[in-house]
Amino acid sequence: MIPELGHFALILALCTAIILAVVPMLGSFTGHSGLMAIARPAASAQAFFVSLAYACLTWAFISHDFSVLYVANTSNTSLPLVYRISGVWGGHEGSILFWCFISALWTGAVAVFSRSLPQVLLARVLAVLGFVSVGFLLFVLLTSNPFERLFPVPLDGASLNPLLQDPGMAIHPPMLYLGYVGFSVAFAFAIAALIGGQLDTATLRWMRPWTNIAWMFLTLGISLGSWWAYNELGWGGWWFWDPVENASFMPWLVGTALIHSLAASEKRGVFKAWTVLLAVLAFSLSLLGTFLVRSGVLTSVHSFAADPTRGLYILLFLGVVVGGSLVLYAFRSHRLNSTATYELVSRETALLLNNVLLVVACAAVLLGTLYPLFVDALGYGKMSVGEQYFNAVFVPLMLPILFIVGLGAMLNWKRDKMKGRSGPLLILAVLSVVTAGVLATQLLSFSFAAVASLALAIWITASTVFGIVHRIRNKRKRLSAVMHTPAAFWGMSIAHVGLAVFTVGVALTSIYTEEQTVRMEVNTTHTVGGYTFTFAALDEVRGKNFNAIEGRFNVERDGADVGTISAQKRFYDVRRDTMTEAGIDAGFTRDLFIALGEPLEGGQAWSVRIQTKPFIRWIWLGTIFMGLGGLLAALDRRYRTVSSRSKAAKTSTGKAKSALDSMVAGSMASTATATDTPRSSGA
Amino acid sequence: MNIALKLLPLALFVAIAAFLAKGLSLDPTQLPSPLIDKPAPEFTVARLGREPGDPSDGDFISQDMLGQVWVLNVWASWCGPCIAEHPYLVSLAQQRPIPVVGLNYKDEPGDAQQWLARYGDPFAHVLDDRDGDVGLDWGVYGVPETFVIDQSGRVRYKHVGPVDEVGLTQKLIPIIDQLQKETS
């Protein structure tokens, strides 16, 4: 009964989504306020129905309803409750429903929090979001129905892939989806702007917190995925340039460009068409990622069932959404003229340069990801593109980006003079290189790459501090200047420091990791990277739904005890899968990593992989800083004042009044350069 | 900005979408071998002893197999999917009276012997290719891979990845039966 209710709710959700996609859009063209007014209740209704469907599926998991095929395939009576809840998105059908769920929530949130937007704009934004929902709901209902029944009902299910039975992996997909789907908001604004032929400062200001939050989720989601791979895959690596990883990294690169371009568009009225293009691309790449993961077009370590029907559907949908958007962009974006000017030496130039570099980096990743497909489709046989390509192309692009991040933070908007700046710039640059050189040679062994990366990380940090000091120095009341520095500025600073921390982590881990795979028996020792590992014991351990063989290792350094590391090899009961649970002694400046390989000589000895990985924590620490920065920037008071102020004036019904609203919203917050005047809605 | 430049993203997208559409009809796990219907590479390689501590058991000469249909399976004890595949090879060796030859690829003889003792030994011959030289000649892309060779010594089929139920019953066995009929 409950699954049928869920199925029915999903059908109702599709109906409301169709209404949401069609009616307000019609209203926005005919100027019919009543039609446009349907947008907000329809968005809420859709959110309700999808949530209901999602709750029904969750209930089927919690209550072990194996008469539902999807539950029987992905759950099991021995599965702990937390993984039954996360199991809802652990398979194909559920994860697409989960996408719909997140999308419905984002759409509902836009409906709730964007009351002060001009009615025409809001109607179009919600209609575009509704259109995207229609696409995904149809996908679920036509090709991937999670409520399909199974008869005869099995006594027990097949269980969740053990790879997914990990706290990190349980929340990794939701984070990614919140990011992917979050970009649909910026996308919807971009499409509405292209249709309306204008993009004013107030609208841009609306887009910024939404995009920042989406970017934050995507950042944390990718980071969690990497952290999970490091803990679970037992290879000791943190990034593999796997097609599925790339699928999430490409929207991130473009999304990063987007949040910076949005800042320039909002503050200075420049790059508007470019911002719109980035918004379209960020979401398009999210859809492309879904296609690559779900269609089985590319092979990957992430084993998802390939289904050509599903692939064809997503490809068609991709064609309509992306193709349509780009047609709209080609013929309408000329109306989004940027009025402001800027000179060569200015923050705008730095932002534009980095934007272009980020997009080029994304294109390089896209090329590497799709290259095997191109070659195959052209009949030149099979091939795979490995880490060498990505590192060779990506690293050289990252170096100028890191340099420009520091440079841009020290330049003023609009115009700057190299004359007054070159002194401090030069001093900071020299200081960074010297400090990096001293650090690298004194604490580690010398390596040119390490010095260069450290210098860039110090350069970014120093320029961020310089930016903060510069902001406060000229004020008379310094404390109050600190207090009045907007959250967006702190967010930017923290995110940039996060980038520096991340750079240190990546560079030092890749340069100084020591790794050995050795044969070890109990009570033998082995030394790697100055640490002595003693294989202390080998035990059998019983978990809730797996048996494990656990090796315990005592670690010493220079005779001093460092700690004990336990590494497991798990054998899951139901699916008969084997999993490596690496043992990691985490530290601020280094990780000690042990993974059990295979038993040798009938279990007398084991092949053991031991690695010392300097500063690897800094990789994830850096991404946490970045995410935190994104969150802080989204919480800036400037965005909130607009909404609270306009709430006071929200009782508008007619289009003239709603246009007035947007004028109020537009002008009151325009401290610097509101160059566009919001047009009245019918025009 | 002129219109040509504005159309560039659309053009790129259309090109990519065309490739994606083509990609849907391709199977990335199907690796066609350039060897198909060509004479199999000839080789002579040491046979692995079947008892632990017995490193070698004479030489295997590929030309000796002429005149019969045979299967070459590339495997290794370090290869996880080989464990999943193994029951189907055992089943194949029981169902059809043809030699299934195991090419033990880049492996330690001791590990390989233990592995066979543990999971069962369907092989008529186990070949010791610890340096991967034979694998190189045969264009081995990954482990496991399975080749079917006909009476005249030509490679007629290549299966990439672990053989499963479907691969065994719908591909390997029908092809073997077909080839055996060709001479009789």
Side-chain angles (χ1 to χ4, degrees):
Chain A
M1 190 56 211
I2 300 275
E4 275 69 36
L5 180 67
H7 194 180
F8 187 59
L10 214 50
I11 294 168
L12 284 179
L14 176 66
C15 298
T16 41
I18 292 172
I19 293 171
L20 178 61
V22 175
V23 176
M25 192 60 93
L26 279 180
S28 80
F29 285 111
T30 56
H32 194 296
S33 174
L35 295 183
M36 286 189 275
I38 287 175
R40 289 190 40 233
S44 306
Q46 188 216 341
F48 171 77
F49 288 128
V50 178
S51 305
L52 182 64
Y54 189 78
C56 289
L57 188 62
T58 309
W59 177 250
F61 267 85
I62 292 175
S63 64
H64 295 302
D65 187 350
F66 297 123
S67 71
V68 176
L69 176 66
Y70 178 65
V71 179
N73 280 338
T74 34
S75 188
N76 180 271
T77 42
S78 68
L79 201 63
L81 178 67
V82 54
Y83 294 128
R84 297 212 297 279
I85 293 171
S86 73
V88 178
W89 59 76
H92 167 79
E93 288 85 351
S95 72
I96 299 294
L97 178 64
F98 189 70
W99 172 294
C100 295
F101 176 55
I102 303 272
S103 168
L105 290 187
W106 274 105
T107 310
V110 171
V112 169
F113 292 113
S114 302
R115 296 179 183 198
S116 67
L117 284 180
Q119 197 186 18
V120 172
L121 181 66
L122 180 60
R124 285 178 181 156
V125 166
L126 288 176
V128 173
L129 288 170
F131 183 79
V132 173
S133 294
V134 170
F136 273 90
L137 286 167
L138 263 180
F139 183 47
V140 171
L141 286 166
L142 294 181
T143 72
S144 323
N145 181 9
F147 295 107
E148 202 171 306
R149 291 282 197 173
L150 176 64
F151 190 83
V153 178
L155 282 177
D156 209 343
S159 196
L160 184 66
N161 184 345
L163 282 174
L164 305 180
Q165 296 183 30
D166 174 87
M169 199 54 189
I171 52 170
H172 160 66
M175 291 286 203
L176 275 190
Y177 279 18
L178 278 164
Y180 281 172
V181 181
F183 282 143
S184 69
V185 178
F187 169 79
F189 273 95
I191 297 302
L194 285 172
I195 295 173
Q198 63 156 350
L199 185 58
D200 58 52
T201 310
T203 313
L204 284 161
R205 185 173 300 121
W206 270 109
M207 290 168 73
R208 289 190 65 190
W210 294 97
T211 316
N212 274 341
I213 294 283
W215 180 85
M216 172 200 81
F217 279 122
L218 193 56
T219 307
L220 295 179
I222 295 172
S223 172
L224 264 172
S226 143
W227 184 69
W228 166 82
Y230 174 67
N231 281 298
E232 297 294 322
L233 291 183
W235 304 336
W238 58 277
W239 190 259
F240 303 100
W241 295 111
D242 176 89
V244 172
E245 284 178 328
N246 294 348
S248 63
F249 190 46
M250 290 187 283
W252 186 88
L253 287 169
V254 172
T256 308
L258 174 63
I259 56 179
H260 289 89
S261 162
L262 263 175
S265 296
E266 187 233 341
K267 279 187 192 287
R268 295 276 310 125
V270 291
F271 313 147
K272 282 185 182 175
W274 175 247
T275 300
V276 163
L277 181 61
L278 287 177
V280 169
L281 287 183
F283 185 59
S284 305
L285 287 166
S286 301
L287 289 181
L288 178 72
T290 315
F291 171 81
L292 293 180
V293 173
R294 294 293 159 202
S295 65
V297 157
L298 298 168
T299 42
S300 149
V301 296
H302 297 63
S303 49
F304 292 106
D307 183 335
T309 331
R310 289 170 181 166
L312 188 65
Y313 181 93
I314 305 181
L315 186 60
L316 285 175
F317 184 58
L318 201 67
V320 172
V321 171
V322 184
S325 311
L326 292 177
V327 167
L328 209 55
Y329 174 80
F331 295 103
R332 297 285 289 181
S333 63
H334 62 94
R335 300 180 60 164
L336 306 175
N337 277 333
S338 301
T339 41
T341 57
Y342 58 95
E343 292 178 8
L344 183 62
V345 181
S346 66
R347 187 176 282 187
E348 283 91 328
T349 309
L351 281 175
L352 186 62
L353 266 176
N354 256 5
N355 256 267
V356 171
L357 286 171
L358 282 167
V359 171
V360 170
C362 175
V365 176
L366 183 69
L367 180 66
T369 310
L370 295 183
Y371 196 72
L373 177 69
F374 294 158
V375 171
D376 194 5
L378 292 172
Y380 291 120
K382 304 275 180 178
M383 66 162 306
S384 60
V385 175
E387 232 164 280
Q388 291 88 346
Y389 162 81
F390 289 105
N391 290 340
V393 174
F394 202 75
V395 173
L397 279 168
M398 278 297 120
L399 299 180
I401 288 183
L402 293 172
F403 176 72
I404 296 170
V405 166
L407 187 66
M410 290 203 288
L411 293 177
N412 283 329
W413 291 106
K414 196 163 163 91
R415 78 169 68 82
D416 210 328
K417 290 210 175 66
M418 258 351 252
K419 230 179 189 176
R421 291 266 177 237
S422 48
L425 276 174
L426 206 64
I427 293 172
L428 274 190
V430 171
L431 220 62
S432 308
V433 174
V434 171
T435 321
V438 170
L439 280 178
T441 43
Q442 292 304 306
L443 301 177
L444 308 149
S445 61
F446 179 81
S447 132
F448 182 72
V451 173
S453 330
L454 280 179
L456 283 167
I458 296 169
W459 162 256
I460 291 175
T461 315
S463 63
T464 306
V465 172
F466 178 89
I468 296 169
V469 170
H470 184 70
R471 203 178 172 94
I472 293 161
R473 194 179 49 191
N474 298 329
K475 305 276 163 55
R476 253 192 301 163
K477 289 178 182 165
R478 291 200 178 158
L479 188 68
S480 96
V482 173
M483 300 299 285
H484 283 94
T485 298
F489 182 79
W490 291 119
M492 177 194 87
S493 302
I494 290 175
H496 284 175
V497 171
L499 179 65
V501 171
F502 174 80
T503 306
V504 172
V506 172
L508 298 189
T509 301
S510 18
I511 298 167
Y512 295 111
T513 288
E514 289 197 37
E515 171 184 337
Q516 285 186 30
T517 307
V518 289
R519 174 190 170 282
M520 283 181 89
E521 283 175 44
V522 176
N523 292 325
T524 56
T525 61
H526 197 82
T527 305
V528 177
Y531 292 86
T532 306
F533 298 83
T534 309
F535 196 163
L538 192 65
D539 297 312
E540 292 206 4
V541 184
R542 173 73 204 162
K544 188 163 173 15
N545 54 354
F546 60 85
N547 280 312
I549 290 179
E550 183 176 275
R552 263 184 297 126
F553 297 81
N554 292 332
V555 190
E556 286 177 14
R557 182 177 189 151
D558 304 330
D561 188 38
V562 175
T564 307
I565 299 177
S566 301
Q568 290 185 346
K569 196 96 192 168
R570 292 182 177 175
F571 307 95
Y572 281 81
D573 303 340
V574 180
R575 290 173 61 119
R576 318 294 323 160
D577 285 329
T578 310
M579 281 278 304
T580 301
E581 187 81 12
I584 296 166
D585 182 66
F588 189 62
T589 58
R590 57 101 191 97
D591 269 19
L592 306 176
F593 178 101
I594 299 181
L596 289 181
E598 299 299 322
L600 307 171
E601 296 140 39
Q604 284 295 306
W606 280 75
S607 74
V608 180
R609 170 174 292 191
I610 303 175
Q611 300 182 346
T612 56
K613 308 188 83 71
F615 290 89
I616 190 161
R617 296 279 133 183
W618 288 42
I619 293 174
W620 302 297
L621 187 68
T623 58
I624 292 171
F625 274 40
M626 288 186 218
L628 196 66
L631 179 66
L632 208 57
L635 294 177
D636 194 299
R637 218 175 15 202
R638 279 185 333 129
Y639 308 130
R640 269 180 295 155
T641 3
V642 182
S643 56
S644 65
R645 192 69 91 74
S646 43
K647 235 175 226 166
K650 73 162 193 230
T651 43
S652 58
T653 43
K655 45 179 178 167
K657 228 173 170 194
S658 80
L660 188 69
D661 273 1
S662 76
M663 257 153 124
V664 171
S667 58
M668 57 133 286
S670 61
T671 42
T673 51
T675 41
D676 311 281
T677 355
R679 277 192 239 166
S680 117
S681 45
Chain B
M1 247 199 290
N2 63 42
I3 191 77
L5 202 57
K6 296 253 170 187
L7 279 168
L8 184 67
L10 183 66
L12 285 175
F13 170 72
V14 169
I16 290 174
F19 276 108
L20 293 177
K22 182 85 168 66
L24 280 175
S25 60
L26 303 168
D27 181 355
T29 60
Q30 280 289 335
L31 288 166
S33 168
L35 290 176
I36 295 289
D37 295 334
K38 302 247 171 68
E42 292 174 6
F43 61 93
T44 303
V45 69
R47 257 197 300 251
L48 194 68
R50 306 310 261 275
E51 297 300 320
D54 175 12
S56 158
D57 181 21
D59 277 350
F60 173 88
I61 301 163
S62 61
Q63 286 98 309
D64 291 351
M65 304 301 282
L66 283 174
Q68 57 185 333
V69 176
W70 60 291
V71 171
L72 183 76
N73 172 252
V74 184
W75 68 284
S77 69
W78 45 261
C79 149
C82 295
I83 301 174
E85 169 186 73
H86 209 64
Y88 299 104
L89 291 180
V90 174
S91 159
L92 172 65
Q94 286 163 354
Q95 287 182 41
R96 292 293 179 275
I98 56 161
V100 178
V101 178
L103 183 72
N104 186 229
Y105 181 67
K106 293 188 178 173
D107 207 353
E108 292 295 323
D111 295 351
Q113 285 162 342
Q114 268 172 32
W115 196 89
L116 287 177
R118 185 166 161 196
Y119 295 106
D121 185 352
F123 297 126
H125 310 275
V126 180
L127 315 182
D128 181 4
D129 187 30
R130 68 183 84 180
D131 301 322
D133 292 339
V134 179
L136 191 68
D137 286 344
W138 283 68
V140 170
Y141 185 92
V143 186
E145 280 182 10
T146 307
F147 297 85
V148 180
I149 300 102
D150 70 6
Q151 292 90 337
S152 60
R154 284 179 302 160
V155 176
R156 300 298 290 268
Y157 178 70
K158 178 184 181 189
H159 185 98
V160 176
V163 173
D164 55 8
E165 181 77 42
V166 176
L168 178 69
T169 55
Q170 292 179 18
K171 285 274 160 68
L172 281 178
I173 287 185
I175 286 167
I176 288 165
D177 290 347
Q178 170 74 28
L179 290 180
Q180 284 193 313
K181 249 184 263 162
E182 276 180 16
T183 42
S184 56

PDB file of all heavy atoms in Angstrom, chain A residues 25 53 88-89 106 111 154 223 360 443 461 487 491 674:
ATOM      1  N   MET A  25       5.074  30.318 -17.197  1.00  0.00           N
ATOM      2  CA  MET A  25       5.824  30.793 -18.356  1.00  0.00           C
ATOM      3  C   MET A  25       4.882  31.473 -19.339  1.00  0.00           C
ATOM      4  O   MET A  25       5.170  32.556 -19.855  1.00  0.00           O
ATOM      5  CB  MET A  25       6.541  29.605 -19.009  1.00  0.00           C
ATOM      6  CG  MET A  25       7.580  29.982 -20.040  1.00  0.00           C
ATOM      7  SD  MET A  25       8.927  31.004 -19.387  1.00  0.00           S
ATOM      8  CE  MET A  25      10.144  29.777 -18.958  1.00  0.00           C
ATOM      9  N   ALA A  53       6.655  10.956  -1.779  1.00  0.00           N
ATOM     10  CA  ALA A  53       7.132   9.759  -2.486  1.00  0.00           C
ATOM     11  C   ALA A  53       8.442   9.283  -1.871  1.00  0.00           C
ATOM     12  O   ALA A  53       8.654   8.085  -1.650  1.00  0.00           O
ATOM     13  CB  ALA A  53       7.317  10.069  -3.967  1.00  0.00           C
ATOM     14  N   VAL A  88      18.540   4.245   0.473  1.00  0.00           N
ATOM     15  CA  VAL A  88      17.507   4.765  -0.424  1.00  0.00           C
ATOM     16  C   VAL A  88      18.154   5.374  -1.666  1.00  0.00           C
ATOM     17  O   VAL A  88      17.651   5.239  -2.770  1.00  0.00           O
ATOM     18  CB  VAL A  88      16.626   5.804   0.308  1.00  0.00           C
ATOM     19  CG1 VAL A  88      15.589   6.377  -0.633  1.00  0.00           C
ATOM     20  CG2 VAL A  88      15.946   5.171   1.510  1.00  0.00           C
ATOM     21  N   TRP A  89      19.336   6.028  -1.475  1.00  0.00           N
ATOM     22  CA  TRP A  89      19.991   6.593  -2.654  1.00  0.00           C
ATOM     23  C   TRP A  89      21.209   5.742  -3.067  1.00  0.00           C
ATOM     24  O   TRP A  89      22.086   6.202  -3.786  1.00  0.00           O
ATOM     25  CB  TRP A  89      20.377   8.053  -2.429  1.00  0.00           C
ATOM     26  CG  TRP A  89      21.308   8.289  -1.267  1.00  0.00           C
ATOM     27  CD1 TRP A  89      22.650   8.041  -1.244  1.00  0.00           C
ATOM     28  CD2 TRP A  89      21.001   8.846   0.004  1.00  0.00           C
ATOM     29  NE1 TRP A  89      23.189   8.387  -0.033  1.00  0.00           N
ATOM     30  CE2 TRP A  89      22.203   8.899   0.760  1.00  0.00           C
ATOM     31  CE3 TRP A  89      19.826   9.323   0.592  1.00  0.00           C
ATOM     32  CZ2 TRP A  89      22.254   9.386   2.058  1.00  0.00           C
ATOM     33  CZ3 TRP A  89      19.892   9.808   1.887  1.00  0.00           C
ATOM     34  CH2 TRP A  89      21.085   9.833   2.600  1.00  0.00           C
ATOM     35  N   TRP A 106      14.922  22.442  -3.538  1.00  0.00           N
ATOM     36  CA  TRP A 106      15.534  23.693  -3.992  1.00  0.00           C
ATOM     37  C   TRP A 106      14.467  24.595  -4.617  1.00  0.00           C
ATOM     38  O   TRP A 106      14.427  25.797  -4.369  1.00  0.00           O
ATOM     39  CB  TRP A 106      16.637  23.432  -5.025  1.00  0.00           C
ATOM     40  CG  TRP A 106      18.013  23.146  -4.477  1.00  0.00           C
ATOM     41  CD1 TRP A 106      18.618  21.931  -4.428  1.00  0.00           C
ATOM     42  CD2 TRP A 106      18.967  24.080  -3.933  1.00  0.00           C
ATOM     43  NE1 TRP A 106      19.882  22.048  -3.882  1.00  0.00           N
ATOM     44  CE2 TRP A 106      20.126  23.340  -3.571  1.00  0.00           C
ATOM     45  CE3 TRP A 106      18.963  25.454  -3.716  1.00  0.00           C
ATOM     46  CZ2 TRP A 106      21.255  23.928  -3.015  1.00  0.00           C
ATOM     47  CZ3 TRP A 106      20.094  26.033  -3.158  1.00  0.00           C
ATOM     48  CH2 TRP A 106      21.215  25.284  -2.813  1.00  0.00           C
ATOM     49  N   ALA A 111      10.907  29.347  -4.146  1.00  0.00           N
ATOM     50  CA  ALA A 111       9.557  29.904  -4.053  1.00  0.00           C
ATOM     51  C   ALA A 111       9.357  30.632  -2.725  1.00  0.00           C
ATOM     52  O   ALA A 111       8.746  31.692  -2.663  1.00  0.00           O
ATOM     53  CB  ALA A 111       8.523  28.795  -4.213  1.00  0.00           C
ATOM     54  N   PRO A 154      10.843 -12.096  -1.861  1.00  0.00           N
ATOM     55  CA  PRO A 154      11.956 -12.823  -1.252  1.00  0.00           C
ATOM     56  C   PRO A 154      11.976 -12.638   0.266  1.00  0.00           C
ATOM     57  O   PRO A 154      11.462 -11.647   0.783  1.00  0.00           O
ATOM     58  CB  PRO A 154      13.188 -12.186  -1.883  1.00  0.00           C
ATOM     59  CG  PRO A 154      12.746 -10.836  -2.306  1.00  0.00           C
ATOM     60  CD  PRO A 154      11.277 -10.910  -2.595  1.00  0.00           C
ATOM     61  N   SER A 223      35.028  16.440  -1.912  1.00  0.00           N
ATOM     62  CA  SER A 223      36.040  16.198  -0.896  1.00  0.00           C
ATOM     63  C   SER A 223      35.738  14.926  -0.108  1.00  0.00           C
ATOM     64  O   SER A 223      36.626  14.106   0.142  1.00  0.00           O
ATOM     65  CB  SER A 223      36.079  17.423   0.024  1.00  0.00           C
ATOM     66  OG  SER A 223      36.900  17.181   1.122  1.00  0.00           O
ATOM     67  N   VAL A 360      39.248  26.581 -19.286  1.00  0.00           N
ATOM     68  CA  VAL A 360      40.187  25.788 -20.087  1.00  0.00           C
ATOM     69  C   VAL A 360      40.527  24.487 -19.345  1.00  0.00           C
ATOM     70  O   VAL A 360      40.561  23.400 -19.942  1.00  0.00           O
ATOM     71  CB  VAL A 360      41.466  26.594 -20.386  1.00  0.00           C
ATOM     72  CG1 VAL A 360      42.541  25.698 -20.993  1.00  0.00           C
ATOM     73  CG2 VAL A 360      41.148  27.736 -21.331  1.00  0.00           C
ATOM     74  N   LEU A 443      62.925  21.484   6.431  1.00  0.00           N
ATOM     75  CA  LEU A 443      62.058  20.459   7.014  1.00  0.00           C
ATOM     76  C   LEU A 443      61.963  19.206   6.155  1.00  0.00           C
ATOM     77  O   LEU A 443      61.746  18.118   6.646  1.00  0.00           O
ATOM     78  CB  LEU A 443      60.648  21.042   7.224  1.00  0.00           C
ATOM     79  CG  LEU A 443      60.603  22.271   8.128  1.00  0.00           C
ATOM     80  CD1 LEU A 443      59.189  22.812   8.217  1.00  0.00           C
ATOM     81  CD2 LEU A 443      61.119  21.921   9.519  1.00  0.00           C
ATOM     82  N   THR A 461      48.178  33.101   0.819  1.00  0.00           N
ATOM     83  CA  THR A 461      47.879  33.435   2.210  1.00  0.00           C
ATOM     84  C   THR A 461      48.311  34.857   2.526  1.00  0.00           C
ATOM     85  O   THR A 461      47.556  35.642   3.108  1.00  0.00           O
ATOM     86  CB  THR A 461      48.607  32.451   3.150  1.00  0.00           C
ATOM     87  OG1 THR A 461      48.429  31.141   2.645  1.00  0.00           O
ATOM     88  CG2 THR A 461      48.058  32.533   4.554  1.00  0.00           C
ATOM     89  N   ALA A 487      30.584  39.696   5.685  1.00  0.00           N
ATOM     90  CA  ALA A 487      30.827  38.256   5.752  1.00  0.00           C
ATOM     91  C   ALA A 487      31.349  37.731   4.423  1.00  0.00           C
ATOM     92  O   ALA A 487      32.154  36.801   4.389  1.00  0.00           O
ATOM     93  CB  ALA A 487      29.543  37.526   6.142  1.00  0.00           C
ATOM     94  N   GLY A 491      34.406  35.345   3.935  1.00  0.00           N
ATOM     95  CA  GLY A 491      34.201  34.087   3.217  1.00  0.00           C
ATOM     96  C   GLY A 491      35.239  33.905   2.134  1.00  0.00           C
ATOM     97  O   GLY A 491      35.880  32.850   2.023  1.00  0.00           O
ATOM     98  N   ALA A 674      24.741  50.266  -9.432  1.00  0.00           N
ATOM     99  CA  ALA A 674      23.559  49.683 -10.055  1.00  0.00           C
ATOM    100  C   ALA A 674      23.312  50.401 -11.358  1.00  0.00           C
ATOM    101  O   ALA A 674      22.624  51.402 -11.413  1.00  0.00           O
ATOM    102  CB  ALA A 674      22.357  49.801  -9.142  1.00  0.00           C
TER     103      ALA A 674
END
